[in-house]
Amino acid sequence: NAGVTQTPKFRILKIGQSMTLQCTQDMNHNYMYWYRQDPGMGLKLIYYSVGAGITDKGEVPNGYNVSRSTTEDFPLRLELAAPSQTSVYFCASRLGGVNQPQHFGDGTRLSIL
Amino acid sequence: AQSVTQLGSHVSVSEGALVLLRCNYSSSVPPYLFWYVQYPNQGLQLLLKYTSAATLVKGINGFEAEFKKSETSFHLTKPSAHMSDAAEYFCAVSGGLTGGGNKLTFGTGTQLKVEL
């Protein structure tokens, strides 16, 4: 059981480039989330999805876009990379139900230079 | 609205000593509370969760946490620290049915160091 898989694990981008961070889960979870983690700041929610075709903004959505065409996949798109987007990005998923925990991938470490 | 405060960004204990990591929460609805652990270069793993069934919650690796509504706290403890417990620990709160998507709000984390 792979759980939540994120690719790539590391990436260096130049300012203004675009890229897509991939996230896929094999647990048939309806809920999926994208976070960014910066030192000393905890995790901040970027976007989330409650099911295929449904997405919504989190706390820090500016500069990012998402789509959810299937239950399994929830890619995060950076259109015009900026140094402020240097961070570690985590994808998570969970079952429905208010007390269900989120399951996390191992993260993508992204540097914008 | 919900928030989490973790007191102490760094905690250092000796191997075999008590571990106490503090978490206070604020929530306008009955909260669901979680503790996660993050080892270097890994994602977050669930340690334990409080879901109102019992105020003392036991988790993996010998950790437990006690929900105290009067103190709005959910502190994490372990009687005897082991070197392998060195990691970063995050407390998180979910506002239940409010807020759409049952989003989690995380604290800023506590880095636990275990010394010989």
Side-chain angles (χ1 to χ4, degrees):
Chain A
N1 191 350
V4 179
T5 303
Q6 292 184 237
T7 56
K9 295 190 183 303
F10 305 94
R11 184 73 184 268
I12 298 175
L13 280 182
K14 294 182 179 179
I15 295 172
Q17 287 185 321
S18 62
M19 78 162 292
T20 299
L21 282 65
Q22 302 291 346
C23 174
T24 187
Q25 50 92 9
D26 62 0
M27 297 174 283
N28 202 32
H29 289 174
N30 279 334
Y31 293 79
M32 295 189 74
Y33 306 82
W34 273 107
Y35 296 90
R36 60 176 290 170
Q37 183 181 29
D38 301 297
M41 301 294 290
L43 279 76
K44 301 294 185 185
L45 182 65
I46 305 171
Y47 271 94
Y48 67 98
S49 170
V50 300
I54 306 169
T55 63
D56 205 350
K57 296 177 180 178
E59 190 179 358
V60 290
N62 292 345
Y64 307 95
N65 279 301
V66 293
S67 59
R68 183 93 183 273
S69 57
T70 66
T71 298
E72 295 78 20
D73 300 308
F74 190 41
L76 178 71
R77 178 95 177 149
L78 282 71
E79 290 294 350
L80 289 170
S84 61
Q85 293 177 306
T86 293
S87 188
V88 182
Y89 292 85
F90 288 99
C91 179
S93 72
R94 69 173 186 86
L95 287 167
V98 294
N99 63 347
Q100 294 299 319
Q102 294 183 18
H103 300 261
F104 286 80
D106 285 339
T108 294
R109 283 147 187 83
L110 181 63
S111 293
I112 315 293
L113 303 176
Chain B
Q2 55 201 36
S3 65
V4 172
T5 301
Q6 290 184 242
L7 228 65
S9 58
H10 292 81
V11 170
S12 184
V13 300
S14 299
E15 191 174 35
L18 171 73
V19 175
L20 171 61
L21 304 182
R22 299 178 186 274
C23 172
N24 288 88
Y25 70 91
S26 170
S27 178
S28 57
V29 297
Y32 296 93
L33 293 156
F34 304 82
W35 274 101
Y36 285 85
V37 60
Q38 184 180 32
Y39 299 101
N41 299 316
Q42 293 186 24
L44 279 69
Q45 302 173 29
L46 180 70
L47 267 181
L48 50 80
K49 66 178 182 180
Y50 166 74
T51 59
S52 77
T55 56
L56 184 62
V57 182
K58 294 188 184 299
I60 62 171
N61 301 339
F63 283 93
E64 63 182 35
E66 186 172 8
F67 174 72
K68 292 187 176 180
K69 184 177 179 180
S70 60
E71 299 177 9
T72 60
S73 69
F74 190 56
H75 301 331
L76 182 71
T77 61
K78 182 174 180 178
S80 177
H82 191 272
M83 296 295 290
S84 61
D85 295 326
E88 190 157 22
Y89 293 80
F90 291 92
C91 182
V93 62
S94 169
L97 291 174
T98 65
N102 303 129
K103 299 186 292 292
L104 283 179
T105 299
F106 285 87
T108 52
T110 297
Q111 187 71 45
L112 176 65
K113 182 178 180 181
V114 182
E115 299 174 318
L116 286 171

